[in-house]
Amino acid sequence: MAERSASVGIVFPAPWPPLLQQCLVMLAQCAAVLAAINVTVMFLIWLERKVAAHMQSRLGPMYAGGWHGWAQSIADGIKLLFKQDIIPTGADPWVHHLAPLVAFVPAFVCYAPLPFARQLAVVNLDIGVLYVFAVSGLSVLGILMAGWGSGNKYSMLGGLRAAAQLVSYEVPRVLSVVPILIWVGSQNLSVIAEAQRPFRWFVFYPNPLVGIVAFLVFFIASVAECNRTPFDIAEAESEIVAGFHTEYSGMKFAFFFLAEYAFVFLSAGLGAVLFLGGGDGVILPSWLWFFLKTYLLVFVFMWFRWTFPRFRVDRLLAFCWKFLTPVAFANILLAGLTLYWLS
Amino acid sequence: MTLTQGVFDLFAVVTIGSALFVVTQRQILHSALWLITTLGSIAGFYILLGADFLAAAQLLLYIGGVMVIMLFVIMLSHVPLAPQESSENAQWLPALLVCGVTVVGLGWTLLPVPWVTQDSVRLPTTASLGRLLLTDLAFPFELVSLVLLAALVGAVFFTSRPES
């Protein structure tokens, strides 16, 4: 006696209750997404090292695995797994333990409503955009907890800087997306991607000025939200050792890196869906278009990092509040006027 | 017991338990972290009730905004792992009285109400909320915005140093 569950072809023996079956199917889906994201992140770390190396006229990792050091991330991962987990004497043990987890989980939960191709999202969520912003905002708690729980003044300074920066840049980031919500009238990411077919990508349609400004504000704020250079004052090596993750070693250190790169890929994917038409394109299948656009944006993230020097703390905040936020507000006004003139 | 009931009970236990921890922890940062748990599980209630927009707003504003600022202030004003403060309060008797009166008052008001129970409605709430805010509730909405603007201007005025 065997029953076939509806959504994936897993065979369960009959006496298993349906609730348990549902839970197992959900668990399998989550595991698949988690594995896919982890592999992507490992690839991104390898890519970052290669891009950085070539921008600095170096070769980067060349030995692990043979072909251009493709297995470097795997080797690093295994090494980190075996390293000792050090908890400083002055640390707050629970907060220190939980911090990497709190930073890491939101990064993965955020992928739920992202459409990886036309009509291919894990969850078809009505409040998609708001959900991503709300959940990704939780990640800063992990950084704050790491800053406090390590019992180290440099960690603490890094945590404080991260809090000030992330709360500030959240504002223009959310505001920059409002023109698109006005034009589409939905927060569902799949609906937003679908509304841009064919070749009516929001970056240049219906109003190129609004689209490009919104895209730039979104992109700059996303780089800041990912804590990446030129906005990486939370872990500025030349000033505060390594900021919030100074006292972390082994796998807990790796969790912070997994979270950072998961957010980089998420931000690039969001940019592709919101502004570049998601899976829209000719000839190639839609998932390939999505990944091409996303990896293009990921490359720009890395290009930023190895081109611009780090901001000073006060300039960073002034840039956010005195430039990006007013521009984002003016952009919303223009988007409304565009809609008014079109209708 | 249905699944919804089970999830509700779980959230109820988490909310009340973490709220108790907020007031009993001796380390102020731990209290703040438990408060985050409380606010997060309240967002869980909103999802159970089908209010998806409200749940996301709860996470975005209360945890991503208010609580982060609160942690920021705690970290700015406290030395990490400083000698722990006493959780005893000299005014425990008046506090107990006020709490008791509040609990009795709330119970007296809420218990006799015949609550309408129904399964959560899975409607897209964002569009209807937005429509209400810009039509029927436009005036209170703008009024609240004005109050917030006044608070902002006031904060800037009080914190700006006079030109020397």
Side-chain angles (χ1 to χ4, degrees):
Chain A
M1 285 289 284
E3 257 179 315
R4 192 162 277 272
S5 97
S7 58
V8 291
I10 304 174
V11 181
F12 288 102
W16 288 37
L19 187 65
L20 192 65
Q21 285 192 22
Q22 273 179 23
C23 288
L24 280 175
V25 169
M26 278 159 86
L27 209 65
Q29 285 173 334
C30 291
V33 174
L34 200 66
I37 295 169
N38 270 324
V39 172
T40 308
V41 165
M42 279 161 78
F43 174 67
L44 284 187
I45 292 175
W46 174 82
L47 190 70
E48 169 109 61
R49 295 176 67 170
K50 282 308 226 187
V51 168
H54 284 283
M55 283 188 181
Q56 298 169 341
S57 299
R58 293 185 287 117
L59 287 173
M62 285 300 283
Y63 296 104
W67 186 80
H68 287 264
W70 67 272
Q72 185 64 48
S73 293
I74 301 173
D76 284 346
I78 294 170
K79 183 196 77 175
L80 283 169
L81 271 175
F82 283 111
K83 282 183 92 171
Q84 187 191 0
D85 174 31
I86 299 166
I87 302 163
T89 328
D92 189 337
W94 273 100
V95 180
H96 186 81
H97 269 301
L98 281 175
L101 210 66
V102 176
F104 167 82
V105 170
F108 286 80
V109 179
C110 276
Y111 278 87
L114 193 68
F116 290 96
R118 282 189 66 196
Q119 311 294 345
L120 181 76
V122 180
V123 184
N124 193 12
L125 205 60
D126 184 57
I127 51 160
V129 176
L130 190 68
Y131 169 84
V132 173
F133 287 140
V135 176
S136 66
L138 302 184
S139 186
V140 62
L141 289 176
I143 294 178
L144 273 168
M145 285 165 72
W148 170 277
S150 298
N152 177 321
K153 60 189 170 191
Y154 296 118
S155 300
M156 174 104 144
L157 280 174
L160 281 176
R161 286 176 172 201
Q165 175 186 339
L166 295 186
V167 169
S168 306
Y169 276 88
E170 188 93 24
V171 176
R173 192 176 186 219
V174 173
L175 291 177
S176 69
V177 177
V178 171
I180 290 175
L181 303 184
I182 294 175
W183 289 336
V184 181
S186 168
Q187 295 199 52
N188 189 326
L189 283 166
S190 301
V191 173
I192 290 175
E194 206 59 15
Q196 301 175 61
R197 283 173 55 82
F199 283 106
R200 292 177 171 181
W201 302 355
F202 284 130
V203 70
F204 52 73
Y205 181 92
N207 185 339
L209 177 71
V210 176
I212 289 171
V213 170
F215 180 60
L216 287 178
V217 172
F218 175 82
F219 195 78
I220 294 170
S222 291
V223 176
E225 285 285 310
C226 294
N227 262 325
R228 286 175 61 87
T229 326
F231 303 102
D232 66 338
I233 56 158
E235 42 183 300
E237 297 92 343
S238 52
E239 301 159 30
I240 49 173
V241 192
F244 61 90
H245 59 65
T246 306
E247 298 286 2
Y248 281 90
S249 62
M251 213 48 209
K252 287 200 280 188
F253 169 76
F255 271 149
F256 283 117
F257 262 77
L258 286 177
E260 177 182 329
Y261 281 92
F263 272 125
V264 167
F265 193 78
L266 180 83
S267 302
L270 261 187
V273 168
L274 290 172
F275 294 97
L276 303 180
D280 180 39
V282 284
I283 304 170
L284 298 173
S286 64
W287 60 269
L288 196 58
W289 273 112
F290 171 80
F291 279 103
L292 280 176
K293 290 167 187 171
T294 305
Y295 271 105
L296 179 75
L297 291 182
V298 167
F299 175 72
V300 180
F301 263 87
M302 294 176 178
W303 194 1
F304 262 45
R305 174 162 178 182
W306 302 102
T307 306
F308 295 119
R310 187 179 293 129
F311 268 76
R312 218 173 59 200
V313 182
D314 57 329
R315 290 209 181 146
L316 179 106
L317 291 179
F319 178 66
C320 173
W321 289 111
K322 293 182 179 167
F323 181 73
L324 285 183
T325 308
V327 165
F329 268 119
N331 214 25
I332 293 174
L333 191 69
L334 275 179
L337 286 177
T338 309
L339 197 69
Y340 179 72
W341 286 325
L342 285 179
S343 59
Chain B
M1 191 182 79
T2 60
L3 183 65
T4 318
Q5 181 67 45
V7 176
F8 179 87
D9 290 347
L10 182 74
F11 279 129
V13 170
V14 172
T15 308
I16 295 173
S18 56
L20 275 177
F21 278 122
V22 173
V23 289
T24 51
Q25 288 291 314
R26 304 180 100 191
Q27 181 75 255
I28 188 166
L29 190 107
H30 291 176
S31 296
L33 292 178
W34 282 112
L35 186 56
I36 291 170
T37 319
T38 313
L39 293 172
S41 57
I42 288 172
F45 285 124
Y46 290 150
I47 294 174
L48 269 185
L49 292 169
D52 49 1
F53 182 85
L54 210 56
Q58 169 94 1
L59 289 186
L60 188 70
L61 298 178
Y62 277 93
I63 299 184
V66 174
M67 285 314 296
V68 169
I69 296 291
M70 211 177 262
L71 287 181
F72 183 81
V73 171
I74 292 172
M75 284 170 72
L76 205 61
S77 57
H78 281 68
V79 184
L81 316 169
Q84 304 200 331
E85 288 153 40
S86 164
S87 61
E88 303 274 314
N89 191 333
Q91 292 178 317
W92 65 272
L93 191 64
L96 193 70
L97 279 176
V98 171
C99 287
V101 168
T102 313
V103 167
V104 170
L106 277 177
W108 190 56
T109 327
L110 296 181
L111 284 181
V113 177
W115 295 102
V116 184
T117 51
Q118 59 173 38
D119 290 334
S120 61
V121 222
R122 295 195 179 276
L123 285 176
T125 53
T126 317
S128 38
L129 253 177
R131 200 160 289 123
L132 266 180
L133 280 182
L134 292 178
T135 51
D136 294 357
L137 302 176
F139 181 68
F141 179 62
E142 293 297 326
L143 204 65
V144 170
S145 311
L146 196 69
V147 172
L148 286 176
L149 184 68
L152 260 178
V153 173
V156 170
F157 176 76
F158 282 121
T159 50
S160 63
R161 299 195 188 98
E163 297 283 326
S164 56

